[in-house]
Amino acid sequence: MNELIAIVDSAKAAFAHAPTPADLENAKALFLGKAGRITELMKGMAALSVDEKKSRGAAINLAKQAIEAALHERRQALADAEMQAQLHAEAIDVSLPGRLRGQGGLHPVSLTMERIEAIFGSMGFDVAQGPEIESDWFNFTALNTPEDHPARSMHDTFYVEGGSESAPNLLRTHTSPMQIRYAVQHVKKHRSAIDAGLGMPEIRVIAPGRTYRVDSDATHSPMFHQCEGLWVGENVSFKDLKFVFTDFCRSYFESDDLVLRFRPSFFPFTEPSAEIDIQFQSGPLAGRWLEVAGSGEVHPNVIRNMGLDPERYIGFAFGMGPDRLTMLRYGVNDLRLFFDGDIRFLSQFR
Ligand code: DAH
């Protein structure tokens, strides 16, 4: 019997030392396999008498059961260990801080728009928004822009569906149509006073927004921004334009160290017309003339299309490029950076 106890003990020891399920199955074969120690003992019973077989067989069976129990226990232990290892490997550390949403900020051009609105707001200008899909009438005809003007060509303008053959729809090529839209509303509101010769409050408005042209390079984008300005009253002269725009530029760039030049030019909707250039007297751009806007005294035909008498009403208008103003203010040299949506660029303006 001591022999059986020794076999059971050595089986338990072999199982306990099997590091993996495969090792455990090999160890099992040594005791319970075809040529295993227990199997050999069974075979050795053939020569025994019936009574001996009974008692010897019962004893071997007990030993076999003890070995099987030990085997199951070890199998379970190895399976549990494997499960624990897997759980550990797949564990999620819920104590890690979460990934926070990055803090957003306004687009640099939006920052410029806000500055423009604040500065002109402080000078008593209203802010108006208008449609980006515009009719040919507001974009060209009402602005005294003749049929054969190059801006009307398919090469320069995005025509879109809708509208009629004689008055097609297009993506507005400038914010100037807002001069007409805003003035017509204003005049309608004060029509009876105007007709009675009492006059009207002055029209003073800026109209910022998106504009579109078939154009694309480092300084031109098919979509860009403009901001229109309009001041119409009974005695609004070129002198007022110079004063207002100079004041604006000095506020916008936070510098008195810049001068303006009104360079004679042509626009169908103004007479006379001028391009406005600025020159910084110090800093990295010092000495260069930089074009920032078109401007002029509103053409009598445009005043008429607003529903006003050009003998009595007069004013100035200008159209500037907020994209350009943003580039100058922050020293950006490629317009496309504004519209690529690259967070590394944009986050610098937060
Ligand atoms: N609309 C013109 C353009 O896009 C800019 C412009 C010039 C606007 C003169 C004006 C103006 O209001 O008076 O080139």
Side-chain angles (χ1 to χ4, degrees), residues 143 173-177 179 211 213 224 226-230 241 266-275 291 293-298 316-320:
L143 290 166
T173 60
H174 50 183
T175 45
S176 304
Q179 291 187 29
T211 48
R213 284 181 209 175
F224 59 105
Q226 280 198 343
C227 182
E228 199 73 12
L230 178 70
L241 166 63
F266 173 80
F267 297 101
F269 31 90
T270 42
E271 180 59 39
S273 305
E275 306 272 7
E291 186 185 317
S295 66
E297 285 285 296
V298 182
F316 66 78
F318 58 82
M320 60 183 160

Side-chain angles (χ1 to χ4, degrees), residues 184-195:
V184 163
Q185 288 301 317
H186 182 92
V187 167
K188 209 164 154 187
K189 217 184 323 176
H190 301 285
R191 183 82 266 167
S192 45
I194 294 167
D195 288 348

